[in-house]
Amino acid sequence: MIALITGASAGIGAAAAERFARGGYDLIVTGRRASLLEDLRKKIESAYPVRVWTLSFDVRNQEEVTHYFSLLPAEWREVDVLVNNAGLAVGLQSIQEGMIDDWERMIDTNIKGLLYVTRMVAPWMVSRQKGHIVNIGSIAGKEVYPNGNVYCATKHAVDALSKAMRYDLLSSGIRVSQICPGAAETEFSEVRFKGDLERAANVYKGFESLRATDIAEAIWYVTQLPPHVNINDMVIMPTAQAGTMLLHRT
Ligand code: NDP
Ligand code: 8X3
């Protein structure tokens, strides 16, 4: 079995890679930071009897996506699980003051990157009439919050695309699931606040946030159900969170 996980150099993607390795899957892991992917490969291959193929590219660049996936030999194209996880929020500003470059980064990564990867991998699954696509959405794809505008829009797009993929792949026997986390402590807020570590840490103060491993377990769970069962959508929040803006902090 092979799992292809995008954005595996950190956070949820790295945790998912480890979970699938523990379950005996060979892995294709992607991200821009080649050295982190290499560290992950060494860690996983020394702990589990699986093979790890690293591909370092930017999901926003369609030529790179096509090029790197084209390098995969035929046996590695037999992808059983695709986890479309690479994504980010950049900035937290009102629509009238938002930075266009931040918007482009979020739209290009969270929507177009997910589409480029899916466009490469879905035909491999269709030809085998087999596979499972797990899209990592967000609670931000279910509701919006002040200054979350474009990030929320990109995750609403992931929500729509997850449903649309299910429609289009229905006759191919391919499962499509979406997992929508609430607040999970990863590099997410460091990226959103452009390296402001103090501001990022404050996001998770006073309550127990989700961990990357919690989401990895959920991804594992949905992919291990019998083939006739599909979890369409799963929203996972910290117990202390009831909505994007509603956290019980002590
Ligand atoms: P991290 O910042 O810890 O990890 C993000 C991953 O995405 C990294 O591996 C990063 O790799 C990769 N990535 C980002 N941009 C690109 C790009 N242009 N090309 C290739 N890879 C890229 O965040 P999380 O683990 O938290 O985020 C994973 C997913 O979960 C995202 O889609 C996020 O929106 C979603 N999510 C996160 C929540 C949270 O609270 N943490 C809540 C809800 C959803 P690299 O930098 O090496 O390219
Ligand atoms: C990340 C969760 O609430 O910061 O997708 O948008 S939130």
Side-chain angles (χ1 to χ4, degrees):
M1 300 289 269
I2 298 175
L4 193 169
I5 301 165
T6 68
S9 53
I12 292 168
E18 221 168 320
R19 184 64 190 86
F20 277 83
R22 180 146 58 90
Y25 279 65
D26 289 326
L27 297 170
I28 302 164
V29 290
T30 86
R32 287 165 301 180
R33 289 170 291 177
S35 64
L36 291 182
L37 292 176
E38 185 54 20
D39 292 347
L40 181 73
R41 184 188 69 74
K42 285 185 191 149
K43 185 177 166 196
I44 285 178
E45 286 187 342
S46 63
Y48 308 100
V50 300
R51 298 171 300 164
V52 181
W53 191 294
T54 63
L55 291 177
S56 176
F57 61 83
D58 189 326
V59 292
R60 292 172 294 179
N61 184 323
Q62 199 236 325
E63 277 178 17
E64 282 189 22
V65 174
T66 307
H67 170 72
Y68 282 98
F69 284 131
S70 303
L71 294 178
L72 289 172
E75 62 167 316
W76 280 92
R77 294 182 189 193
E78 299 195 348
V79 172
D80 297 289
V81 176
L82 164 63
V83 183
N84 274 319
N85 165 75
L88 78 183
V90 196
L92 187 66
Q93 280 179 302
S94 66
I95 204 79
Q96 65 274 23
E97 290 170 340
M99 294 180 66
I100 302 285
D101 184 57
D102 293 350
W103 296 357
E104 309 274 21
R105 285 178 62 192
M106 291 187 277
I107 291 166
D108 289 352
T109 309
N110 301 354
I111 306 177
K112 291 166 73 178
L114 178 146
L115 285 170
Y116 297 155
V117 171
T118 304
R119 183 64 185 82
M120 287 303 294
V121 178
W124 300 341
M125 291 182 168
V126 171
S127 70
R128 297 172 66 221
Q129 297 281 291
K130 191 177 171 218
H132 197 150
I133 299 174
V134 182
N135 294 325
I136 305 303
S138 170
I139 185 61
K142 304 291 182 185
E143 50 182 273
V144 295
Y145 51 90
N147 303 325
N149 42 62
V150 175
Y151 178 68
C152 295
T154 65
K155 290 299 181 177
H156 276 72
V158 174
D159 190 61
L161 285 169
S162 299
K163 290 178 194 136
M165 286 181 197
R166 238 177 345 260
Y167 281 36
D168 294 352
L169 295 167
L170 180 64
S171 61
S172 306
I174 292 162
R175 295 189 282 182
V176 181
S177 304
Q178 176 181 229
I179 294 186
C180 298
E185 191 164 1
T186 62
E187 292 181 5
F188 178 84
S189 292
E190 288 174 41
V191 172
R192 167 169 257 175
F193 298 126
K194 304 176 183 175
D196 184 338
L197 298 183
E198 197 182 332
R199 194 173 174 198
N202 281 338
V203 172
Y204 308 105
K205 280 219 174 109
F207 73 103
E208 188 168 354
S209 62
L210 294 171
R211 300 174 190 121
T213 48
D214 297 323
I215 307 307
E217 269 315 318
I219 300 168
W220 176 253
Y221 169 74
V222 303
T223 61
Q224 299 309 307
L225 291 166
H228 68 285
V229 180
N230 187 57
I231 302 283
N232 288 0
D233 206 5
M234 190 187 268
V235 179
I236 309 174
M237 308 282 275
T239 305
Q241 183 178 27
T244 50
M245 297 295 290
L246 192 55
L247 281 149
H248 178 64
R249 295 183 200 260
T250 51

